[in-house]
Amino acid sequence: MDSPYDELKRRLCEIQDLEKAHELLYWDQVVMMPPSGAAVRGDVRATVARLAHEKSVDDEIGRLLEQIEPQAEAMPYDSDEASLVRVARRDWEKARKVPTELAAETAKVTADAEDAWAAARQASDFAAFKPWLDRVLELKRRYIECFAPYDDPYDPLLDDFEPGMKTAEVRVVFDRLKQELVPLIAHAANNEQDEFMRGPFAVERQHDLSLELIGRFGFEPVAYRLDTTVHPFCSSLSTQDIRLTTRYSEEELTSLFTAMHECGHGLYEHGISPALERTPLCDGASSALHESQSRLWENVVGRSRPFWRWFFPTVQRAFPDVLGDVEADAFYRAVNRVHPSFIRVDADEATYGLHIIMRFELEQELIAGTLSTADLPEAWNARVEEYLGLEVPDDGLGVLQDVHWSSGGFGYFPTYQLGNVISLQIWERAREALGDVDAQLERGEFGELHQWLRSNVYAHGRKYLPAELLERVVGGPLDPEPYLRYLKSKFGTAVAA
Ligand code: ZN
């Protein structure tokens, strides 16, 4: 007979298999499925998700955990076994705190709310979306109450994405960023546009360049695919089967950055220790840690001067008509313009943080009830004016631009900016460890950097809480200073000039 540990692991792997099947159904839906497949696909996904949920709240998991925990506590904290037991306990307790009816109602309402949001955004009509937002908020408040007592009502929402992190910690970091970012942007903003950035750039060549970058960064070709979709994402079906997605437009070269971003997510998943495969440890430590890796490859590496000294000649050869007479340095400046704009997903590296900070603030006020949904558009517009100096022309370019609130993703926004903050904390350590990284980037060599990240961050999967992993890698807690140093040295003078 199997030991209780083997039995627990078998059950956890089964749950994971169902979750991966669910993920594959989603990937297929947005990458491959013919449009008329949508009618049935929703039901198929719902069934698989329900089976996974039922198995994850099973009483038997609790009984097995009780049997195993005394031995697991005697094992080294970072052993795979002790980590699996610890994470399984946490997941099981969390899942059981939310009544099945509430989870089902939330799934149903948010699916409809997302449709309502898409139509409202199209028509730039906040009033049409408001009743849906009220319903989602009501469900979120009920969800929060499942986790009482808490220090801050936002804590349970944040914890879904950043296990163990507190809202108060994030507030301190974001307040510090805000203090520096607002004047930095006012100083560095540059609304000039470079004609050569408008293309045309043939899509097949963009695809080839994307593949070249992903290969250079160290992805094994047999372990990933790159396909096109409307909203790019990265999906991991196993450490050896990573689905990267991107999108192309002939009028811009943002696809190169999208490819590097999703590649960063993919390298994280691909680099998780094979011993953790199929277990709940086979995932990133948190959303912010994940985003730290997409941002590290996309921005810290992919928007750096040494990187473009290496890669620009290749891009130039791909588009000789458009870029033939352009200098590498002019191209570097063009992809680093600080240009305050309305839409978060189009924001540059310097202004991006303020888009997130204002959402984080508004979410807390909505949850606490100090801001009503009726006053939300006005509050949104006031903050865009205060932080970015822009007047929002309509709700489509304002409060209706993101899908997150309709889909119930309150608590997710801050992880994007925490990812930026963490990417620089990790980068400073990598530089210390690797010596002259700039020279390596300038030669198009990414192997040492990739290996360092793999053994220090990726391999551990979800064994540690985000704060524990950060402590191990950088020797301290969340710290906005490396990120601010980076932004100041990059945008303080050089790029604005
Ligand atoms: Zn990302």
Side-chain angles (χ1 to χ4, degrees):
M1 218 184 92
D2 279 352
S3 70
Y5 178 80
D6 291 337
E7 173 60 14
L8 176 74
K9 191 170 169 185
R10 190 189 64 73
R11 283 170 176 266
L12 296 175
C13 287
E14 239 174 50
I15 298 165
Q16 203 63 16
D17 291 346
L18 287 166
E19 282 173 0
K20 293 298 179 184
H22 188 261
E23 202 162 332
L24 175 56
L25 285 166
Y26 176 74
W27 177 86
D28 178 77
Q29 182 176 333
V30 295
V31 175
M32 287 288 172
M33 191 180 74
S36 62
V40 171
R41 180 59 54 92
D43 290 331
V44 178
R45 280 179 59 199
T47 299
V48 178
R50 181 174 51 76
L51 289 173
H53 179 75
E54 279 169 15
K55 283 180 182 291
S56 67
V57 296
D58 195 318
D59 293 340
E60 188 56 23
I61 289 182
R63 276 195 287 275
L64 288 164
L65 282 170
E66 261 171 48
Q67 285 181 53
I68 301 161
E69 273 163 343
Q71 301 151 34
E73 274 157 28
M75 291 178 194
Y77 185 83
D78 49 8
S79 67
D80 291 353
E81 293 79 7
S83 303
L84 184 68
V85 170
R86 208 165 51 234
V87 169
R89 164 64 74 184
R90 212 190 120 79
D91 288 351
W92 184 74
E93 294 209 331
K94 219 177 158 181
R96 283 174 58 106
K97 280 193 175 152
V98 184
T100 312
E101 314 80 70
L102 177 58
E105 196 184 341
T106 306
K108 172 96 191 73
V109 170
T110 52
D112 294 344
E114 227 180 291
D115 290 342
W117 163 77
R121 181 175 73 155
Q122 196 79 40
S124 197
D125 180 7
F126 179 78
F129 177 57
K130 183 185 169 299
W132 289 99
L133 183 57
D134 286 327
R135 286 186 71 183
V136 174
L137 273 168
E138 189 45 44
L139 290 163
K140 284 285 135 183
R141 291 198 189 97
R142 278 165 60 195
Y143 179 81
I144 290 166
E145 283 324 303
C146 301
F147 299 92
Y150 42 75
D151 298 333
D152 188 306
Y154 197 82
D155 281 350
L157 302 177
L158 183 65
D159 191 85
D160 285 351
F161 308 103
E162 298 303 316
M165 197 178 281
K166 297 290 178 219
T167 310
E169 270 176 84
V170 180
R171 217 176 276 136
V172 171
V173 172
F174 282 8
D175 283 347
R176 169 82 183 112
L177 291 180
K178 196 162 72 174
Q179 189 185 28
E180 297 284 341
L181 285 177
V182 174
L184 180 120
I185 288 161
H187 165 78
N190 180 338
N191 293 332
E192 280 169 41
Q193 282 206 325
D194 300 282
E195 195 52 40
F196 59 81
M197 291 307 279
R198 296 196 195 124
F201 304 108
V203 163
E204 315 80 69
R205 302 231 169 96
Q206 294 186 47
H207 186 69
D208 292 343
L209 291 170
S210 301
L211 292 176
E212 173 159 2
L213 285 174
I214 294 166
R216 279 282 189 153
F217 284 178
F219 230 125
E220 291 150 88
V222 292
Y224 79 92
R225 291 183 53 90
L226 177 67
D227 296 277
T228 53
T229 188
V230 181
H231 302 290
F233 64 99
C234 163
S235 187
S236 153
L237 303 173
S238 79
T239 64
Q240 300 306 312
D241 181 357
I242 311 287
R243 310 294 173 94
L244 308 175
T245 64
T246 188
R247 65 176 159 207
Y248 301 108
S249 152
E250 288 227 339
E251 285 95 56
E252 53 183 26
L253 272 181
T254 49
S255 71
L256 300 181
F257 300 96
T258 304
M260 291 190 273
H261 182 98
E262 300 308 335
C263 177
H265 283 303
L267 287 175
Y268 194 160
E269 297 283 335
H270 184 45
I272 296 171
S273 162
L276 307 179
E277 195 82 86
R278 284 186 67 227
T279 75
L281 302 180
C282 195
D283 200 350
S286 74
S287 300
L289 256 306
H290 233 297
E291 195 69 4
S292 80
Q293 294 314 295
S294 55
R295 292 304 195 179
L296 189 145
W297 289 101
E298 174 197 358
N299 287 338
V300 186
V301 171
R303 287 183 204 270
S304 71
R305 213 182 278 268
F307 174 87
W308 283 107
R309 283 201 184 119
W310 163 68
F311 199 53
F312 183 68
T314 306
V315 178
Q316 202 173 28
R317 272 195 300 278
F319 308 109
D321 297 344
V322 185
L323 298 176
D325 299 329
V326 176
E327 301 281 333
D329 225 50
F331 189 82
Y332 166 78
R333 282 198 302 275
V335 299
N336 282 294
R337 284 246 187 275
V338 176
H339 172 49
S341 64
F342 299 112
I343 301 290
R344 172 184 63 88
V345 296
D346 297 334
D348 58 78
E349 238 185 315
T351 56
Y352 188 86
L354 291 171
H355 286 270
I356 295 303
I357 291 169
M358 60 170 274
R359 284 159 177 76
F360 172 66
E361 292 171 350
L362 294 171
E363 280 192 345
Q364 291 174 75
E365 293 166 29
L366 286 170
I367 292 293
T370 53
L371 173 66
S372 74
T373 53
D375 296 333
L376 177 61
E378 207 180 312
W380 178 286
N381 297 351
R383 231 158 287 212
V384 172
E385 172 129 43
E386 185 188 343
Y387 296 171
L388 294 166
L390 298 172
E391 213 170 302
V392 179
D394 62 61
D395 291 338
L397 288 171
V399 67
L400 287 174
Q401 65 181 273
D402 299 298
V403 68
H404 301 59
W405 289 343
S406 69
S407 66
F410 284 84
Y412 192 84
F413 279 124
T415 73
Y416 291 120
Q417 182 62 1
L418 293 171
N420 286 326
V421 166
I422 294 170
S423 73
L424 265 300
Q425 290 188 262
I426 294 178
W427 176 250
E428 286 199 348
R429 278 304 143 119
R431 286 180 80 101
E432 280 168 27
L434 298 175
D436 201 353
V437 184
D438 284 354
Q440 295 175 26
L441 300 190
E442 203 166 329
R443 292 194 298 268
E445 292 167 9
F446 306 96
E448 281 188 35
L449 173 62
H450 180 199
Q451 266 320 315
W452 188 90
L453 292 166
R454 190 170 185 145
S455 49
N456 287 281
V457 182
Y458 308 164
H460 304 304
R462 207 173 147 232
K463 280 164 79 164
Y464 305 110
L465 291 171
E468 292 171 339
L469 184 62
L470 207 54
E471 178 69 43
R472 281 179 67 101
V473 180
V474 308
L478 261 178
D479 176 11
E481 299 310 323
Y483 176 64
L484 285 173
R485 276 198 285 279
Y486 163 80
L487 288 181
K488 282 183 194 165
S489 81
K490 190 167 180 179
F491 300 110
T493 50
V495 176

